[in-house]
Amino acid sequence: MKRNQKVAAQRIQKEKFARIQFPVLTPKNENQRLYFDALKHDTLVVASGSAGTGKTIVACYHAARKLHYKDIKKVVLLRAYQPLAGRSIGFLPGTAEEKLIPYYQQLLDYFEDCLGKASVEISVKSKEIEICSLETIRGRSWEDCIVIVDEAQNLYPQEVQALMTRIGENCQMTICGDTTQTDVIKGANGLAYLKQVIERYNISETSFVKFTPEDIVRSGMTREFVLAFEKELELEQQGKGILNAKPK
């Protein structure tokens, strides 16, 4: 055991991009500032809105920083993955965790940017960073940790109920999603359901941060496409969209 710990420490020390000092990430707009502030104070933080606004990377940065400074014991990653447009890569080989890795790679990349590749690999193996599937959360109780739920627009209301009742002592949950990119059936959007429950029953220690296309920081092209797709969605609802047109 001691030898394994020594080897792990040596790997981190020799890593080409070893983190001598934790990187600094600062808000790029007002909504990101509100997001950072909510993560400092609230137990449940929901970030929703346009793609490319930094919802997930900020959540991962906050969790990585807390893990780095030992403010929490672990980070739990959950992703409400759904086949895109009905497509699937089929069955994957390996353990349950190995099967999930392709769906979680972007989250892990964000942690590697903050903590370094070797450190993240070791943390995943030691369960300091736990990759978890929604199917296995019943009966769990999360304490002294941060839980990140990504692609939350694909959650069903029953999954939201299960997630909210897993929050234990000194646990923070960050939920990220974009309701315009949902792959679940109409009327079953868990993200919208969560917002309505919190507002109706005045749940404490919760924050909602709504991002708009004006907050997009990924690239100018992403902003242009998001604006175009959102306008097209409005036209589709009126029966005037490109997809509403009859083939010639």
Side-chain angles (χ1 to χ4, degrees):
M1 182 65 181
K2 288 184 178 180
R3 183 178 182 278
N4 290 338
Q5 290 174 343
K6 183 178 179 181
V7 171
Q10 288 173 341
R11 283 193 61 198
I12 295 173
Q13 193 173 20
K14 291 180 179 179
E15 187 179 352
K16 185 177 180 181
F17 300 105
R19 299 296 181 258
I20 299 172
Q21 184 175 331
F22 198 85
V24 176
L25 185 67
T26 56
K28 297 183 182 298
N29 50 55
E30 179 60 16
N31 278 331
Q32 278 199 5
R33 187 191 67 76
L34 292 173
Y35 190 17
F36 271 87
D37 194 54
L39 289 168
K40 288 180 183 177
H41 301 106
D42 290 313
T43 299
L44 175 65
V45 179
V46 182
S48 66
S50 302
T53 52
K55 300 183 298 293
T56 305
I57 191 172
V58 170
C60 291
Y61 171 83
H62 171 71
R65 185 178 178 84
K66 290 288 187 182
L67 190 64
H68 176 75
Y69 289 111
K70 307 299 181 184
D71 295 328
I72 55 173
K73 291 181 178 178
K74 69 187 300 183
V75 174
V76 179
L77 302 179
L78 285 148
R79 200 163 184 268
Y81 51 87
Q82 292 282 348
L84 180 61
R87 298 184 186 276
S88 173
I89 58 176
F91 292 104
L92 297 172
T95 63
E97 185 177 281
E98 289 169 342
K99 294 174 190 291
L100 292 172
I101 288 289
Y103 298 102
Y104 287 73
Q105 192 57 57
Q106 185 60 69
L107 295 173
L108 295 174
D109 287 347
Y110 289 147
F111 275 89
E112 288 177 6
D113 289 342
C114 297
L115 302 172
K117 186 176 179 64
S119 181
V120 170
E121 287 179 1
I122 293 163
S123 294
V124 170
K125 288 179 180 178
S126 68
K127 301 294 185 180
E128 274 194 339
I129 297 177
E130 181 182 356
I131 295 172
C132 190
S133 66
L134 285 163
E135 294 91 337
T136 63
I137 66 171
R138 285 201 183 276
R140 298 288 303 272
S141 179
W142 291 314
E143 299 179 348
D144 296 313
C145 68
I146 289 177
V147 181
I148 298 175
V149 184
D150 197 28
E151 301 293 344
Q153 72 275 3
N154 292 326
L155 289 171
Y156 287 96
Q158 296 89 339
E159 292 172 325
V160 168
Q161 293 168 5
L163 281 167
M164 295 305 104
T165 53
R166 303 304 104 204
I167 300 173
E169 291 297 322
N170 195 33
C171 172
Q172 182 183 52
M173 185 177 290
T174 308
I175 296 180
C176 311
D178 177 7
T179 52
T180 64
Q181 297 191 51
T182 183
D183 294 309
V184 300
I185 58 174
K186 190 175 181 180
N189 188 303
L191 195 56
Y193 167 76
L194 174 61
K195 189 173 190 298
Q196 291 171 18
V197 168
I198 288 173
E199 290 176 348
R200 174 173 290 186
Y201 297 99
N202 195 26
I203 307 297
S204 62
E205 296 184 33
T206 60
S207 287
F208 274 84
V209 182
K210 175 68 175 175
F211 290 92
T212 71
E214 298 303 315
D215 299 314
I216 292 171
V217 293
R218 183 170 294 158
S219 69
M221 177 169 283
T222 293
R223 182 184 291 109
E224 289 183 46
F225 270 115
V226 167
L227 288 168
F229 291 144
E230 288 188 358
K231 182 62 178 176
E232 190 61 26
L233 182 61
E234 292 177 11
L235 291 173
E236 284 176 20
Q237 292 170 347
Q238 300 169 20
K240 301 177 183 178
I242 294 171
L243 296 178
N244 297 121
K246 294 180 181 179
K248 296 180 180 180

